[in-house]
Structure formats: C-alpha cells, structure tokens
Amino acid sequence: MIEKQGGGLIFLLSVPRSGSSLLTTILQNHSRLFATQEMWFLLSLHDLPQSHTRPYGGTGIIRQFFKGMVPPPVLEQASRSYALEIYNGLLQGTTADMLIDKSPRYYAVLEFIDRLFPAARRVWLIRNPLAIAASFKKVNQLRGGRFRLLEELKSPHFNMKMTDITVGLLRYAHYFATPHPLAYPLMYEQLVSNPALEIEKLCGFLGIEYESGMENYGNFADTPKSSLFYSMGAGDPFVGEHVQPHQDSVHSWQHLLSKEEIELYCRSIGSRIFRQLGYTEALEQAEQIAGVRFEDEADVELFSRRTHQFLQQSGFEWKTAYRMLDEQDADNRGFTKSEINIVNEGHYVAPHDPARMDMERIVNERRIQALENRLTHSYEERKRLIAQLQAYQDSNQGLRSRGLFARKLGRWASIALSSIGKDKGGRT
C-alpha cells in the first residue's frame, strides 16, 4: 500500500529515450512491484488549475476559483489524496505492495512531486546524451515522425523533444546533483552490461529481495501481469524484440547521428554535462568524430529560450537549478534537519498541512486572494476599456475631421456656384 507521504511509491525518472521502458519491463516482473508502461497523470493533476479554454466555458471562473478560493496547501492535499486513490487502486487484486510511476517528462513537475510525496523513492536512469538523441532519431524514423536535430534544435519555435534533450536533461542533472538516501542513480550502460547485478543492487535500494531471473523479461511474457503491462502499448517499441537486456544500442549513436548532428548537439549542451553524468569517454569519441574540442558551458541562450517557451506554454513555475531536499539546503527550502530525517524515515508531515491551519486564517486568506484577483481582473478590464475607448475616440476624431472638411468643401462649392450664377446673370 502506498502511504500518505509516498512510502511504497517509486518514481522512475529520466528523459525520454533513456531506457526506462526496459527497466520498467524488468522491474514489473517482481512479485512486490506493480507498474504500467507509463502514467504521466501527475502532469495532468498539476495542470488542473491552469486556465485552458474549455468547450463548456467558465475559464475565468475556474481560474479565479483555484487562485482565489483554494489555498495551495488545500489543493496539494486534494492532489495527494487523488493520486493515492489511483496508486492504491492499481495495487488492488495484485500481490504487489509497491508501485512504480515511470513518466519521463516528470522533470516538469519535480517541485510538485517533492511536495506531494517527499518519502517516495526516486530512481534516476542515466544514459549517454548522444545515445538519447540517436534513439529519438531512430524511433521517429520508424514511426514517420519528425526529429530533425539540425533544423529543430536551433529553431526559435517550441519543440517538446528539443526541450527533453536540453532542458529536461539539465533539470534532472541539477535535481540529483547531491546524493540523497531516497535517490538511486543507475546508468543504462551498466544495466545492459550486467543486468542481474544491477537489478539486485537496485532491489536492495528499494528494500526488497532480488528475485532470480527477473531481468530475463522474455520468460514472463505469457503471464497475466505481463499481458496487462504490455496492453497499454506505450514506451519503447523495440523492447519486445528481445527477451533480455542487450548492448546493441550503447554505441549506435556513432552511426545513427551525423558528424554535424554530433557537433551541434554537443556544442548546445556543453561538455561539462558529459563529465558530470560519467560519459567522459563518449565525449572524447564525439570530439574525435567532430574534429573539435567542445566548450564546458552549454548554450545559455538556447537553454533560456527553451525553458521560457515551455513555461509559457504550460503555465508551470520552476525553481532555478532545483534539487532534492538535503541538509545543506534545508534552511533555503524551509525545512529543519529533524524534518529531513523524518522524510528519510518515510513519516514526513508537511509543515503546512491543512489539518493544522486555523480555519479563520484560511477563510481570511481566501477572501484576500479572491479580492486581489478581482482587483487584478478589474484593473485589466479597466485598461482594456480605456484602450477600446481611445480607439473609438481616435476613429471618431478621424470621422469628425473628415466631416468638417466635407462641410467646408460643400460651402466652398456653394459659393463658387453662386458666383458663377451671378456672373452669368450680369452678362445677360
């Protein structure tokens, strides 16, 4: 059973095309673990208060309701309760008592995940960035999709896949930069090189006994649990072509990516990230292929633009260089060391739990927030009306000027015609 603060819950975190489908396929064979191919639903849950246009209307009302009437702690408690119902509902009727939520783009909601489930374990699956880009290219060629690295990486237009291999990669690197008792880094290359050993060590981190042979996922293909797992049809389309992990894709980037693609991507993300993730050898190979030495730093303008584009599109808010909670940044994040220890023990209770909050203060906060939103809305409406009035006035001024000129022209015409008539009359 998944506990209130996330005990029993495992987040498998990585950017897309990092091998998370393979790892999930292996882990779901364990009798105590349950997983679907992918979930993603915390993204939608976090997205709930956003003011998207809906066919039934009420966009402004919904925005004011969530921003003005529902305090953030209440919304987070409701989100936690909803997620727990989903997670524990999935466990019903199974032998599993732990659940894996594998959703590659959770890099977009790391702060949200930490607030909802601080006691959940996190497995960070790491892969050579060049192999990730190559896997994107391979899968999109198979599916007839777009992945034009040279064209799209530098493009000024928003592209989610380009965000994955730049911003997403860096977000996870920042998040897991500090060792944490609830975080476990696992390199894809080590997993496929020695799967039994790596899965046994991972099981130790999860607090469960390794079950012999679970990495040979082909042996479980006909079981009801695997049939349910594969029925979703998401994830890596190539996993089903094998029965156990293999190393075929480790070096495939060297022929799947062109020299120009390798050079552009490495220049974009910088060489530092390769060394930080443990891929110095791959970096040296890339430099040899490209015939250049790459700078340490990433392309700041590119990362800034991609980050701004995503936040603007999604309405999300991120903390700069956000990382998991540890003692060093406890003061900055508003937690005490004792609270961190409680988190690590799996019994953390948020300091702003709604149960502790004084009802009168909650009501007052709601009133204040609602009034602030109404004032903001009124101010925006006033500016809109003023601009509209100014436009009408400018338009009317133009019409009035043309009317005055027309009347003057009419008078001049009348005088001229009158003069002509008199002149003719005099001659007669």
Side-chain angles (χ1 to χ4, degrees):
M1 179 176 179
I2 311 304
E3 299 172 356
K4 182 178 180 181
Q5 299 303 321
L9 178 60
I10 304 154
F11 289 109
L12 175 50
L13 303 174
S14 68
V15 295
R17 317 308 319 156
S18 295
S20 57
S21 292
L22 171 65
L23 181 55
T24 312
T25 301
I26 294 170
L27 292 177
Q28 65 92 26
N29 295 324
H30 196 287
S31 59
R32 292 188 58 189
L33 298 176
F34 178 90
T36 66
Q37 287 187 339
E38 295 191 7
M39 291 192 184
W40 292 55
F41 86 98
L42 287 186
L43 287 164
S44 295
L45 197 55
H46 183 272
D47 203 36
L48 182 64
Q50 305 302 322
S51 303
H52 300 310
T53 301
R54 296 167 172 86
Y56 48 80
T59 301
I61 296 172
I62 294 171
R63 180 180 61 247
Q64 291 193 49
F65 173 72
F66 279 114
K67 290 187 177 180
M69 300 303 296
V70 183
V74 173
L75 182 59
E76 287 182 8
Q77 177 61 36
S79 299
R80 181 183 298 109
S81 298
Y82 176 84
L84 286 171
E85 287 293 327
I86 294 291
Y87 289 142
N88 285 314
L90 290 171
L91 292 178
Q92 291 180 4
T94 73
T95 62
D97 59 353
M98 302 176 73
L99 181 139
I100 300 168
D101 185 344
K102 171 248 186 179
S103 303
R105 285 179 177 149
Y106 273 0
Y107 66 80
V109 289
L110 292 172
E111 294 90 339
F112 185 60
I113 287 174
D114 282 359
R115 292 195 299 269
L116 259 58
F117 299 112
R121 289 179 170 86
R122 295 151 178 81
V123 177
W124 179 28
L125 184 59
I126 310 166
R127 190 177 186 182
N128 173 10
L130 287 163
I132 292 173
S135 182
F136 261 116
K137 185 176 182 179
K138 180 180 178 182
V139 170
N140 279 270
Q141 286 176 343
L142 173 70
R143 294 173 173 171
R146 284 176 57 92
F147 188 79
R148 300 173 184 173
L149 193 62
L150 293 177
E151 174 187 336
E152 296 172 344
L153 189 59
K154 290 288 188 178
S155 170
H157 304 295
F158 175 71
N159 184 301
M160 196 66 226
K161 294 168 187 172
M162 297 302 109
T163 303
D164 289 334
I165 63 174
T166 55
V167 177
L169 186 71
L170 202 63
R171 281 272 288 176
Y172 279 135
H174 281 310
Y175 183 67
F176 290 105
T178 305
H180 193 286
L182 293 177
Y184 186 88
L186 173 60
M187 297 181 73
Y188 169 84
E189 292 77 10
Q190 294 177 351
L191 171 65
V192 297
S193 174
N194 198 338
L197 176 62
E198 295 301 325
I199 294 300
E200 184 175 3
K201 291 193 295 185
L202 178 55
C203 285
F205 164 74
L206 299 177
I208 56 178
E209 292 290 332
Y210 165 72
E211 294 181 353
S212 180
M214 58 184 289
E215 68 278 0
N216 299 317
Y217 54 87
N219 296 338
F220 298 83
D222 296 328
T223 63
K225 191 176 180 182
S226 287
S227 296
L228 177 63
F229 176 82
Y230 287 112
S231 65
M232 189 175 179
D236 189 341
F238 299 110
V239 170
E241 297 180 0
H242 302 269
V243 296
Q244 61 187 10
H246 60 88
Q247 301 183 58
D248 296 355
S249 299
V250 172
H251 301 291
S252 62
W253 62 270
Q254 297 178 21
H255 65 265
L256 285 172
L257 297 178
S258 68
K259 173 185 174 181
E260 292 76 17
E261 288 173 327
I262 291 171
E263 181 176 351
L264 176 62
Y265 185 46
C266 289
R267 287 189 185 279
S268 298
I269 65 175
S271 62
R272 189 191 307 278
I273 189 69
F274 284 92
R275 289 189 291 272
Q276 180 183 346
L277 299 180
Y279 293 101
T280 302
E281 183 178 347
L283 172 64
E284 292 172 351
Q285 292 171 345
E287 290 179 333
Q288 184 176 3
I289 293 172
V292 297
R293 186 174 180 83
F294 302 115
E295 298 291 334
D296 284 350
E297 303 303 326
D299 185 332
V300 176
E301 191 277 331
L302 182 148
F303 273 79
S304 177
R305 183 176 72 251
R306 291 293 177 195
T307 301
H308 176 73
Q309 286 175 335
F310 178 81
L311 296 180
Q312 189 176 47
Q313 293 273 344
S314 66
F316 291 0
E317 294 181 0
W318 287 346
K319 294 182 180 179
T320 303
Y322 181 73
R323 60 180 175 171
M324 279 189 72
L325 181 68
D326 63 17
E327 291 189 7
Q328 293 179 357
D329 62 2
D331 293 338
N332 297 331
R333 299 270 297 279
F335 292 87
T336 65
K337 290 185 178 182
S338 61
E339 286 172 332
I340 295 172
N341 293 332
I342 294 173
V343 168
N344 296 340
E345 293 168 4
H347 304 293
Y348 175 70
V349 177
H352 298 296
D353 192 309
R356 302 183 187 178
M357 298 177 68
D358 179 73
M359 181 56 67
E360 183 177 353
R361 181 166 61 85
I362 293 176
V363 171
N364 284 336
E365 287 178 353
R366 287 174 178 169
R367 288 172 179 164
I368 292 170
Q369 187 63 55
L371 287 171
E372 287 177 348
N373 288 336
R374 288 177 62 187
L375 285 171
T376 300
H377 180 72
S378 298
Y379 178 68
E380 292 173 351
E381 181 67 10
R382 179 174 177 271
K383 288 196 299 182
R384 186 187 69 80
L385 291 174
I386 289 174
Q388 190 176 30
L389 178 61
Q390 185 64 49
Y392 287 146
Q393 288 174 338
D394 292 343
S395 177
N396 287 339
Q397 184 64 37
L399 290 173
R400 187 179 299 111
S401 299
R402 289 193 292 273
L404 290 172
F405 177 72
R407 286 195 292 272
K408 287 181 179 180
L409 187 61
R411 285 198 299 271
W412 294 338
S414 297
I415 293 170
L417 289 172
S418 177
S419 299
I420 292 171
K422 288 180 181 180
D423 184 57
K424 289 180 178 180
R427 287 199 302 270
T428 302

